Amino acid sequence: GDFLIVDGNSGIVFVNPSQEIKSEYERLHKEQKELEDKLLPYAALPAETIEGDRLEIGANIALLSDLKLVSSHGADYVGLYRSEFPFLARSSFPSEQEQYNLYTSILKQAEGKSVTIRTLDVGGDKFLPYLDAPQEDNPALGWRSVRISLDMEEVFREQLRAILKAGNQGRLRILFPMITAAWEVRRIRNILGEEMQNLEKRGESPPELPELGLMLEVPGTVKILDKLLPMLDFVSIGTNDMIQYTLAVDRNNPKVEPWSSPFHPAVIRILQESLQKCSEYCVPVTVCGEAAGIPAFAYLLLGMGFCNLSMNPTSIPSIKNTFRNMSSEQARLDVDAVFGMEEAKEIRDYLESSLQESLDVI
Ligand code: PEP
Ligand code: MG
């Protein structure tokens, strides 16, 4: 019978809050709803800047039901399907057939839009109760993500077979999380080659190997991109983990939140280096992670030259609206100015006011 307010933006839950807090949240909720109602009718329009530069805006999803939001909120593609959610919701590993059914539904319901399925990304902050995982002092630096997949090869192979078979139903790309070494990509490619052959024998393989990408989430990986990119078709930058590992701030610890910011100059430089390397090797790059849905950060990414962003679907209508009212040229000038600045707060304030000025003029 307790009354709760769950603020998903800040990660705070209020238990039996005072009337003032309730009223404040009612107002926020109403304003947000009004803004959504105003922008939703335009969600399907392209994200094109004043000069006509087009950005592709993808959706990050975790559940089958999120696909409704993909079309209603104007996503151009599914930039990140977090495949661990069905694993987290069960008491044992889902079978190959169960996974195949799920991935098939996702690809079909995406109605021809490209879908990037990320392989299992558990460990760290995502606890899988039936996984026999060690007690770790530093789980974020421990046995997580692709490391688990490569150690539990049969589980990984089952997932890959389910994904590959489902690939016949739509436009599929496969993404591998938290890659930190070239041998990992080589090992994954070998496993995929073997599983393609197994499926071919059974007449179940897709016509060709889907595009393969890595998630760039560790700054060290940026330094070996020249070794990795020749083996890949695309890259997706996960800003949530990239910020955590660049700034040594636990992404789930509110105590160190003041030290964490996507606007930190180190994060911006790492993004710039990543984009530069990917352009050199002609490998397309997407930025996913929650920061892509922050208008001032999306504006920064535009100015840096990124043209593929993937975000929470509910952020898409307002981000598209922002881009439609922005000048790419102005964004480039603002990014030049930002590179001379020292502090995350200074950078954020500068970008927010520049964005506001442009929106006010229009
Ligand atoms: C990220 O790290 O930015 C990301 C998109 O992956 P996740 O949030 O699932 O770790
Ligand atoms: Mg991540």
Side-chain angles (χ1 to χ4, degrees):
D2 283 324
F3 185 99
L4 303 182
I5 295 177
V6 180
D7 180 342
N9 288 325
S10 64
I12 295 174
V13 175
F14 296 88
V15 183
N16 297 321
S18 64
Q19 189 49 46
E20 290 79 44
I21 294 199
K22 273 193 200 171
S23 311
E24 184 60 12
Y25 271 95
E26 275 159 14
R27 182 187 64 77
L28 272 175
H29 189 247
K30 189 163 158 270
E31 278 179 15
Q32 202 163 328
K33 178 91 184 57
E34 279 168 7
L35 185 68
E36 246 191 40
D37 291 347
K38 207 168 91 190
L39 297 176
L40 264 186
Y42 304 102
L45 294 178
E48 240 172 39
T49 65
I50 291 171
E51 295 91 342
D53 295 327
R54 169 96 191 242
L55 289 101
E56 297 293 321
I57 310 294
N60 295 348
I61 65 166
L63 304 167
L64 196 52
S65 52
D66 286 336
L67 279 155
K68 281 199 205 84
L69 297 177
V70 168
S71 52
S72 64
H73 285 61
D76 298 313
Y77 63 105
V78 176
L80 175 66
Y81 167 62
R82 291 181 161 107
S83 74
E84 56 275 7
F85 277 76
F87 286 73
L88 293 167
R90 281 161 204 263
S91 52
S92 59
F93 283 109
S95 68
E96 185 178 325
Q97 185 63 37
E98 282 170 320
Q99 292 185 61
Y100 167 73
N101 293 344
L102 180 64
Y103 305 147
T104 298
S105 303
I106 289 168
L107 282 157
K108 279 189 175 159
Q109 288 182 36
E111 296 171 335
K113 293 187 170 92
S114 146
V115 175
T116 300
I117 298 185
R118 178 176 75 184
T119 58
L120 192 62
D121 186 15
V122 289
D125 58 328
K126 292 177 200 132
F127 175 68
L128 205 54
Y130 50 90
L131 181 71
D132 188 17
Q135 187 68 29
E136 295 179 303
D137 286 343
N138 288 306
L141 305 181
W143 197 55
R144 58 162 299 204
S145 202
V146 80
R147 297 172 184 176
I148 295 182
S149 295
L150 290 171
D151 272 353
M152 300 188 65
E153 209 178 285
E154 200 34 54
V155 173
F156 189 39
R157 283 178 183 268
E158 272 188 10
Q159 180 173 38
L160 290 177
R161 284 196 295 271
I163 297 175
L164 288 171
K165 282 192 287 184
N168 286 318
Q169 310 294 333
R171 288 171 59 203
L172 166 71
R173 306 198 303 176
I174 313 180
L175 181 61
F176 299 95
M178 227 187 106
I179 296 288
T180 55
W183 71 262
E184 293 171 325
V185 181
R186 267 195 299 275
R187 181 80 199 115
I188 290 168
R189 292 202 75 108
N190 283 344
I191 294 175
L192 274 166
E194 287 167 13
E195 291 308 332
M196 281 290 279
Q197 276 181 359
N198 285 337
L199 292 176
E200 258 161 43
K201 281 187 209 139
R202 286 156 40 183
E204 292 177 322
S205 67
E208 54 191 27
L209 190 62
E211 288 186 2
L212 307 177
L214 68 73
M215 272 199 92
L216 209 41
E217 300 180 282
V218 179
T221 311
V222 179
K223 296 292 177 191
I224 53 164
L225 276 175
D226 55 329
K227 307 286 177 218
L228 303 173
L229 293 176
M231 295 189 272
L232 294 159
D233 302 300
F234 70 99
V235 162
S236 191
I237 305 178
T239 51
N240 305 335
D241 275 314
M242 187 58 98
I243 294 166
Q244 155 163 278
Y245 294 126
T246 302
L247 303 177
V249 278
D250 179 343
R251 58 190 269 185
N252 294 320
N253 181 350
K255 194 84 181 150
V256 290
E257 218 252 348
W259 279 270
S260 173
S261 171
F263 297 94
H264 191 293
V267 174
I268 297 175
R269 285 172 196 205
I270 287 199
L271 291 177
Q272 189 204 31
E273 189 177 339
S274 310
L275 177 64
Q276 203 182 334
K277 273 269 144 48
C278 290
S279 313
E280 230 173 84
Y281 285 80
C282 298
V283 171
V285 54
T286 300
V287 179
C288 62
E290 306 320 314
I294 301 171
F297 193 73
Y299 178 58
L300 170 78
L301 294 173
L302 165 71
M304 290 173 78
F306 286 97
C307 49
N308 276 294
L309 316 187
S310 189
M311 62 195 67
N312 187 326
T314 51
S315 304
I316 295 176
S318 86
I319 292 291
K320 276 185 149 183
N321 181 59
T322 302
F323 285 135
R324 280 198 293 272
N325 291 301
M326 294 313 298
S327 147
S328 343
E329 185 46 35
Q330 184 59 44
R332 277 193 283 277
L333 293 174
D334 283 336
V335 165
D336 285 347
V338 154
F339 270 99
M341 297 179 186
E342 278 175 19
E343 303 291 348
K345 184 172 178 323
E346 185 188 5
I347 294 174
R348 182 176 197 143
D349 290 349
Y350 178 83
L351 291 168
E352 276 175 354
S353 66
S354 178
L355 192 61
Q356 199 49 53
E357 263 170 43
S358 310
L359 294 175
D360 285 347
V361 169
I362 289 148

